Amino acid sequence: MNATVKPPVRREAMRIAGKLVTTDDMVEVRNPYDDSIVGLIPAARPEHVREAFAKAKAFKPTLSRYERQQILQKTAELLRDRKELFARLITAEAGLCWKDSLYEASRAYDVWSFAAQLTIKDDGEMFSCDISPNGKARKIFTTRQPLLGVISAITPFNHPLNMVSHKLAPAIATNNRLVLKPTELTPLTALALADVLYEAGLPPEMLSVVTGNPSTMGDAMITDPDADLVTFTGSVRVGKHIADKAGYKRIVLELGGNDPLIVMEDADLDKAAELAVTGATKNSGQRCTAVKRILVVESVADAFSRLVVEKARKLKCGDPMDPATDVGCVINARSAALFQARVDDAVSKGAEVLHGKRAEGALFHPTVVDRIPYTCELVHEETFGPVIPIIRVPDDIAEVIRISNSTAYGLSSGICTNRYDYIQRFVADLEVGTVNLWEVPGYRIEMSPFGGIKDSGLGYKEGVVEAMKSFTNVKTWSMPWTA
C-alpha cells in the first residue's frame, strides 16, 4: 500500500456507550509535518464526561472468560489485518515515520493477543491453614473481581495506538468498564480502535471515548464520582495534578523518563553506538524510555563519539509518509523549538554539536551533541525528541552511578558492559524501574512489568500482567478443609 497517500479529513464523533455524540465546538487535529488538518473532534464538556461514566457504572459486565478471550483475540486479529490503515492514521496525526507507525501497529497486536491468553488463566491463589500450631484444617482462597466503579484512562500523543491498548486490553480482560480520554493531539487512532472493539463484540457500555481538552471539560475525568481508578500516562506536571485532584481514588501514573545508556570501558563500542542512535531516535525520540542521556567513560569517549556520528549520518529525516524516512517530525513546532533552545543552551555551556540541523517547524533532525555538562537542561530534564546527547564521565563506576541518579526521574536504563561486577552494581544501585543489559532502556515485551520510581511514576507497574492486577479487587474466602 502506498504510504504517501494522505487520508481524508475525518470529522469524528465521541463514542459514549457506543452512541455517536457530537458538539458544536470542534477541535482541529493537525498533521505536525505540514500543519494540514487531518481531523475534527468534538470538544467534550463536563456533562459529556458525566454521561459516559454514568452509563458505564449502570452496566454490569457478565462476560465469561471465554467471551472476553474471544473479543480480545478478535481485536488483535482485526488490528493485524488493518495494520496499514492504523499506521496511516498514526503517521497523519502524530508525524511519526511510516516505519515507526507500522511497528506500533504490530506491537498493538501483541498487547491484545497477550491479554486474550491471560484472560483464560485463573488468577486465584490457595493457602493451606494447617501450617502452624495456631492453624486449622481450612483453606483460604482468593479470586479477583472487576472494580466496583469505572476506570478513567487518559493517554498521551506519542503512542496513539499502543498506549491506549495498554489501558484498554487489561481492563477488558478483567471485565471492567472504561471511559477513555485520548489526548486532543492524536485522538483519531483511539476512536478507530474503539470501533474495532465494538466490531469484535465488546458491549458498547463497557467503553466510552470522550474527546477534547481540559479547557472545555476541566477535571471531570479525574473527579467523576463513578471513577474508581485513574490511569494516566504523560507528563510529570499533569500526573502530579491528577494525584492532587483525584481524592480517594486509586491512581496509576506512568510519567516521564530521563533514561541513560551507560557505556563502560570494556564495551563493544560499535554495538553500543548502534543502541545509542536507535534508542535516541526511534519514534522521533518521543518515548519515555528513549535514550535521553548517553554516559560514556572518558577512556573510550572519543572512539565512541565518532561511531555515533557515523551512524547518525545514515538516518533519513523528513516526510513521515515517505516509507524511506527513518525519523519523522516531533509532535509540534513548539516542541522542536524547545529542543533547539536546549541544544543552544548546552553549546553555550561548552557542549559541541557534531551532527544535525536546526529545527524546521516540527522537524527536528537527529542531533549529536558531545561534551554536555550533566547538569544542563538538555539532559537534566526530559528532552522528548531525537537528540543524541553524549555526557563524558570519569572511569569510575561510583561516579557513573552518581551522575546517572542525579535527575528527578527513575524509569529505565541501558547498560553496555560485560563485567559481572559492574552489572551487579548497576542492578543494585541505579535508581530506576528497569535495567537492560546490552539493550536500549525501552526494551520490554508487552506482558512484562513496566514502570518507574521518583518522578517517573508511583511505582505501580504497567504491562498486561501487572495492569490486570491493578485493575481488580482481590476477594478472599475460606472453608473447612479436612482432606
Side-chain angles (χ1 to χ4, degrees), residues 8 71 86 111 126 165 194 213 278 283 290 318 352 362-363 389 408 413 416 475:
I71 291 167
F86 273 91
V111 177
M126 180 173 67
S165 296
N213 54 56
T278 301
N283 223 65
E352 181 182 359
L363 199 63
S413 62
C416 299
K475 180 169 283 186

Side-chain angles (χ1 to χ4, degrees), residues 346-415:
V347 169
S348 74
K349 292 177 170 62
E352 181 182 359
V353 175
L354 302 181
H355 172 72
K357 299 178 181 178
R358 297 193 68 80
E360 304 168 308
L363 199 63
F364 191 89
H365 295 259
T367 302
V368 180
V369 189
D370 196 358
R371 303 180 186 277
I372 305 173
Y374 74 90
T375 55
C376 274
E377 185 178 345
L378 178 66
V379 289
H380 200 68
E381 299 299 327
E382 181 179 31
T383 298
F384 216 58
V387 180
I388 309 170
I390 300 173
I391 303 169
R392 298 180 177 225
V393 294
D395 285 61
D396 175 358
I397 188 171
E399 189 66 1
V400 172
I401 290 170
R402 184 191 70 80
I403 292 171
S404 181
N405 291 341
S406 66
T407 77
Y409 299 92
L411 187 55
S412 193
S413 62
I415 309 299

Side-chain angles (χ1 to χ4, degrees), residues 172-343:
I172 294 166
T174 48
N175 238 357
N176 276 289
R177 301 146 292 173
L178 301 101
V179 176
L180 168 69
K181 193 278 177 188
T183 172
E184 66 276 11
L185 298 174
T186 58
L188 305 178
T189 306
L191 291 165
L193 175 59
D195 291 341
V196 166
L197 280 160
Y198 298 149
E199 182 181 343
L202 183 72
E205 296 87 352
M206 288 181 69
L207 173 64
S208 290
V209 185
V210 295
T211 60
N213 54 56
S215 66
T216 57
M217 68 176 70
D219 288 331
M221 286 291 296
I222 308 167
T223 60
D224 192 279
D226 288 331
D228 203 341
L229 178 149
V230 180
T231 175
F232 167 78
T233 300
S235 71
V236 175
R237 178 184 61 81
V238 176
K240 291 186 175 181
H241 175 77
I242 290 172
D244 181 58
K245 293 291 184 180
Y248 194 64
K249 292 180 173 66
R250 279 184 265 188
I251 52 175
V252 178
L253 303 178
E254 200 278 283
L255 307 178
N258 195 353
D259 306 310
L261 181 75
I262 297 173
V263 183
M264 300 302 287
E265 73 279 356
D266 67 308
D268 176 335
L269 297 185
D270 188 72
K271 184 176 179 181
E274 186 66 36
L275 291 173
V277 173
T278 301
T281 60
K282 191 170 180 60
N283 223 65
S284 297
Q286 297 173 130
R287 305 172 75 188
C288 55
T289 55
V291 171
K292 306 284 177 40
R293 298 175 290 155
I294 304 164
L295 277 55
V296 56
V297 296
E298 282 282 3
S299 59
V300 296
D302 286 344
F304 174 79
S305 179
R306 286 193 295 271
L307 288 167
V308 167
V309 172
E310 177 185 306
K311 294 178 187 301
R313 283 177 174 156
K314 296 177 182 178
L315 296 175
K316 179 179 179 180
C317 179
D319 184 353
M321 285 289 186
D322 182 350
T325 296
D326 299 302
V327 181
C329 58
V330 297
I331 191 61
N332 51 41
R334 185 177 68 254
S335 296
L338 171 63
F339 307 152
Q340 186 65 63
R342 288 180 174 178
V343 168

